[in-house]
Amino acid sequence: MQELHDAPLAPLTTFRLGGPATRLLTATTDAEVVAAVREADASGTPLLVIGGGSNLVIGDKGFDGTALRIATKGFTLSGTSLELAAGEVWTDAVARTVGAGLAGIECLAGIPGSAGATPIQNVGAYGQEVSSTITEVVAYDRHTRETVTLPNAECSFSYRHSRFKAEPDRFVVLRVRFALEEAGGLSAPLAYPETARAMGVEQGERVAASAARETVLKLRAGKGMVLAPDDHDTWSAGSFFTNPILDEAAFQDFLARVHERLGPDVTPPAFPAEDGRTKTSAAWLIDRAGFTKGYGRGPARISTKHTLALTNRGEATTEDLLALAREVVAGVHAAFGVTLVNEPVTVGVSL
């Protein structure tokens, strides 16, 4: 297991921000991951687990403790059953399943990060979420000090949330298992209107899984959501804020504010959510509150391609990024009474 001291963490994140870790370990096997976690817990050393670094905002002072980078490998496909080691590159795994003619995660193409992070956030995009295909998650339980296998029903999946996110200091994901679909090379029914429109079909239709994947990659690239080293619009964590989910009273107050600010004929995006609540669009809120594409006065700015992504233009610090995020949160709340919540995990800092 590789060990470095006073190790830079910024290169391990898609934001390319953050100070160093006191110690950085890179684990390439499940046994090394478990050993590193047990050592940190036994000594009382703070532990930061890093996968693909696509969902991390690390403070400029860095991390005073052990950072554990999970670089495990393992792609096992048996029929329609898929098992991924936590360190597998997610978008590569998607490409391989599509190449095998299987459906279920093709619209999650291009999402940066590692496979082990997908159940934590219940990663989703373009009408698919990993919770619909995950069967089990193998994780090290830091409370019981043993490796456990949690079936889907025990993962408490919901919109961009899970048991793993709710108990961040308990589980370290080692492997993720999926049940995909053999549909003769076709995709799952297209659930997202934008994808269906881009492919010239009706929502709910199936298309070639490979075509669905390519279409999603093009849509994401057009929004700066596919990593490219020379494109600062991709020096981000993707969507920085989750889409707000409002109860009936909050939604009615939101509607009133929209009509007061933008006029009685303006209808904001609204989608049914669980428990009778309503989901609206964070990107719409940000734009209509006056934070348009490219907004910002310093080295941290809103993406020129998508208002939901905050970006490092090359010379930003984490504090630059947080200042922009706080400005957006305050502005949206003042305009519409809705408080945006950050999607990335913050380390040593907060909004």
Side-chain angles (χ1 to χ4, degrees), residues 144-260:
T144 64
R145 301 179 184 177
E146 61 184 4
T147 298
V148 297
T149 299
L150 300 176
N152 183 295
E154 294 182 17
C155 295
S156 303
F157 288 123
S158 60
Y159 172 67
R160 299 298 175 272
H161 200 68
S162 70
R163 182 179 181 182
F164 311 105
K165 189 173 181 179
E167 301 179 76
D169 297 322
R170 179 168 183 179
F171 297 103
V172 177
V173 175
L174 301 174
R175 295 185 172 266
V176 189
R177 295 171 179 152
F178 302 81
L180 304 179
E181 180 188 4
E182 171 55 66
L186 296 180
S187 69
L190 297 179
Y192 202 68
E194 184 181 11
T195 315
R197 286 196 302 270
M199 302 201 70
V201 300
E202 294 296 321
Q203 190 175 347
E205 288 188 34
R206 293 179 185 262
V207 297
S210 58
R213 174 180 172 272
E214 289 299 326
T215 297
V216 166
L217 287 172
K218 290 177 182 177
L219 290 172
R220 291 184 64 87
K223 300 172 183 178
M225 298 291 186
V226 176
L227 295 180
D230 58 348
D231 182 359
H232 286 291
D233 279 329
T234 74
W235 290 30
S236 75
S239 299
F240 195 87
F241 300 104
T242 58
N243 289 322
I245 298 178
L246 309 175
D247 62 25
E248 180 61 23
F251 183 68
Q252 291 304 320
D253 178 66
F254 167 54
L255 280 179
R257 288 173 178 259
V258 169
H259 294 157
E260 179 181 357

Side-chain angles (χ1 to χ4, degrees), residues 8-15 24-27 33 47-58 66-73 85-90 111-121 171-174 227 345 347:
L9 295 180
L12 302 182
T13 74
T14 52
F15 264 124
L24 171 65
L25 301 177
T26 298
V33 172
L47 180 69
L48 171 63
V49 178
I50 301 176
S54 61
N55 204 46
L56 279 180
V57 178
I58 299 173
T66 295
L68 173 61
R69 178 172 171 260
I70 297 181
T72 52
K73 296 296 180 184
E88 281 288 329
V89 176
W90 173 253
I111 294 176
S114 62
T118 60
I120 298 172
Q121 286 287 112
F171 297 103
V172 177
V173 175
L174 301 174
L227 295 180
V345 175
V347 178

